[in-house]
Amino acid sequence: MGSLSFGSSQTAIGLDIGTEHVRVAQVKSAGAGFVLTGYGRVDVPMGAVADGEIVDAAAVSSAIKELWRRSSVHGKDVCTGVSNQRVIVRLIDLPFMERGELQSAIQYQAQDYIPMTVEDSILDFQIIGDYMTPTDEHMMEVLLVAAHREMIGNTVSAVEGAGLKLKQVDVSSFAIVRALMGESTSILPDDEGQATAIIHIAAGLTNIAVVERGVPRFNRISSLAGATFTQAVANVLNVGFDEAESLKIMVGLPNVETGEGEVTPGVDADQTQVIHQSLEREVNKFIAEVRRSLDYYLTQTSQVRNIQRILLSGSGSQLRNFASYLEKGLQAQVILGDPLERIQVASSAQQAVNADRMGSVTAIGLAIGGLQS
Ligand SMILES: Nc1ncnc2c1ncn2[C@@H]1O[C@H](COP(=O)(O)OP(=O)(O)OP(=O)(O)O)[C@@H](O)[C@H]1O
Ligand SMILES: [Mg+2]
């Protein structure tokens, strides 16, 4: 869906390039479902990936090579994902036309919807459906994807520099939706007039998506993510990033109702309180940001009145008591998304993926997308 495809096969490899980690998932078809046959994760050097874009392709290539050495993945064709300011996803309404006609018309139509020039962009689209207006005009709804050519070029360099071949580039949020909800909404059926939001919180980025009847209709990224929380702790305690990172993970947020936290060995009560307060401030900003995005979405659509269900995923969502803060702040049911709910796991991948369950979502969704294309 909405991906730039260069071939198809029976086994597929998803490669998720992130700010702190690169991850790989290998998936094969098994009847109507999928089996995860290989999984791995390695660290990315600080600064090599920033704001969802590859800054140092050589450093990312080395990390990918290391990933292949350390994981039980076999093969060279990879499907990767992009998520940054230079990949745009828009749901647009156009006068109805046939697919072939749209293929050429989109080149002209797209410019009205994207902030970069069409010449600098790689375009893709998916027809969502068609409808009649009250004045009997035949219209169609199209999901438009535009990715900056140069940005994709950096991804190609990093992948090829690791001796691999780029088979497909997907939008990361589509991969996340696919891993958590499948192509249909069979796990979490949307009622009429209902939508599900997905919040995927990683290190440098948070992906916010809204899905209606299986179709991702909205996507926004925010730079408020796990690293923002860590940096806030570092600032308030005047400690380094790594120390703040482990304090954040150990202490986390207090109980949202009682305000009480876990007693953490080696962290005194005063320090605990300071950490709680700084994380609370950041989480409140995060909630406000998500609310703004969802409110924007709701004003753009006539059918859905509110979003009552949120699927939460990503490594950053493991912050202690985070889900209950979101539930209270957003007045919605928050469910932890599980990428292993819809896929069998072979013994070759079990240990590695269980150790990174919440972080594996994107890589798994990218791999499944590679099988389906
Ligand atoms: N138990 C935990 N509690 C709180 N935060 C956690 C926990 N485990 C991991 N994190 C946070 O998750 C983040 C890392 O997420 P992840 O590995 O998914 O990022 P990434 O994919 O490398 O980056 P991005 O997708 O943003 O480019 C870090 O900010 C880390 O602090
Ligand atoms: Mg990531």
Side-chain angles (χ1 to χ4, degrees):
M1 170 188 298
S3 55
L4 315 163
S5 180
F6 312 114
S8 69
S9 60
Q10 281 316 295
T11 163
I13 300 173
L15 173 66
D16 171 25
I17 302 170
T19 316
E20 293 185 0
H21 302 104
V22 280
R23 295 178 167 96
V24 65
Q26 186 154 28
V27 162
K28 68 174 186 190
S29 310
F34 309 105
V35 183
L36 182 71
T37 58
Y39 187 79
R41 180 185 88 168
V42 307
D43 291 349
V44 170
M46 200 141 179
V49 177
D51 301 323
E53 290 201 42
I54 295 168
V55 180
D56 183 348
V60 173
S61 296
S62 308
I64 296 171
K65 280 188 198 161
E66 177 72 19
L67 185 59
W68 252 247
R69 276 194 293 275
R70 284 213 244 148
S71 67
S72 50
V73 159
H74 306 284
K76 289 189 178 303
D77 290 343
V78 299
C79 307
T80 194
V82 285
S83 179
N84 54 62
Q85 298 298 345
R86 294 202 287 175
V87 49
I88 310 295
V89 182
R90 290 278 181 279
L91 197 61
I92 62 177
D93 293 279
L94 295 173
F96 180 82
M97 59 189 104
E98 296 301 331
R99 206 190 147 75
E101 199 185 335
L102 180 60
Q103 195 89 47
S104 48
I106 201 82
Q107 298 291 329
Y108 305 99
Q109 301 282 357
Q111 196 60 75
D112 293 344
Y113 303 96
I114 61 175
M116 47 215 186
T117 68
V118 164
E119 290 74 42
D120 288 338
S121 309
I122 300 173
L123 300 178
D124 194 14
F125 65 85
Q126 192 197 356
I127 299 170
I128 303 295
D130 63 313
Y131 62 92
M132 301 301 288
T133 66
T135 53
D136 259 8
E137 285 169 283
H138 195 184
M139 300 290 287
M140 69 200 297
E141 219 177 9
V142 175
L143 195 64
L144 171 70
V145 178
H148 199 280
R149 219 173 267 286
E150 181 195 54
M151 181 271 294
I152 297 291
N154 294 341
T155 304
V156 173
S157 305
V159 167
E160 290 182 348
L164 305 173
K165 219 175 111 225
L166 193 56
K167 184 187 155 208
Q168 182 170 300
V169 180
D170 203 344
V171 178
S172 302
S173 68
F174 294 173
I176 294 165
V177 170
R178 189 182 297 125
L180 295 178
M181 301 182 77
E183 295 289 359
S184 73
T185 53
S186 54
I187 289 276
L188 292 167
D190 289 316
D191 311 329
E192 268 313 303
Q194 283 297 322
T196 301
I198 294 188
I199 301 175
H200 181 92
I201 169 166
L205 293 176
T206 294
N207 240 298
I208 301 163
V210 180
V211 179
E212 268 182 63
R213 277 171 247 105
V215 179
R217 297 176 63 95
F218 173 80
N219 179 213
R220 183 164 287 181
I221 54 170
S222 165
S223 58
L224 297 185
T228 321
F229 301 159
T230 302
Q231 194 56 54
V233 172
N235 293 349
V236 77
L237 293 179
N238 200 18
V239 297
F241 192 84
D242 290 346
E243 191 179 344
E245 174 78 10
S246 52
L247 285 168
K248 175 188 84 169
I249 290 174
M250 282 191 300
V251 177
L253 288 158
N255 181 301
V256 68
E257 302 301 341
T258 65
E260 279 165 34
E262 305 279 318
V263 179
T264 312
V267 187
D268 66 35
D270 287 349
Q271 230 181 1
T272 299
Q273 200 187 4
V274 171
I275 294 169
H276 282 165
Q277 286 168 349
S278 85
L279 288 175
E280 247 179 7
R281 270 195 301 277
E282 296 307 314
V283 167
N284 285 335
K285 285 185 217 161
F286 182 89
I287 288 168
E289 175 108 331
V290 171
R291 188 190 287 281
R292 267 196 301 278
S293 286
L294 299 183
D295 283 349
Y296 174 81
Y297 173 74
L298 292 172
T299 61
Q300 299 294 301
T301 165
S302 55
Q303 284 163 3
V304 173
R305 296 271 169 263
N306 62 21
I307 292 168
Q308 291 177 335
R309 186 170 48 209
I310 293 170
L311 273 178
L312 184 62
S313 74
S315 289
S317 68
Q318 299 172 101
L319 184 67
R320 206 188 284 278
N321 291 318
F322 186 59
S324 42
Y325 270 77
L326 285 189
E327 192 145 71
K328 189 167 185 186
L330 294 167
Q331 296 284 300
Q333 183 192 8
V334 174
I335 303 165
L336 276 189
D338 182 2
L340 302 185
E341 206 168 281
R342 311 176 58 85
I343 191 168
Q344 297 172 55
V345 182
S347 55
S348 51
Q350 206 101 46
Q351 203 185 349
V353 79
N354 282 334
D356 187 31
R357 198 164 178 138
M358 293 310 283
S360 66
V361 179
T362 315
I364 290 175
L366 289 169
I368 294 174
L371 279 182
Q372 290 170 336
S373 64

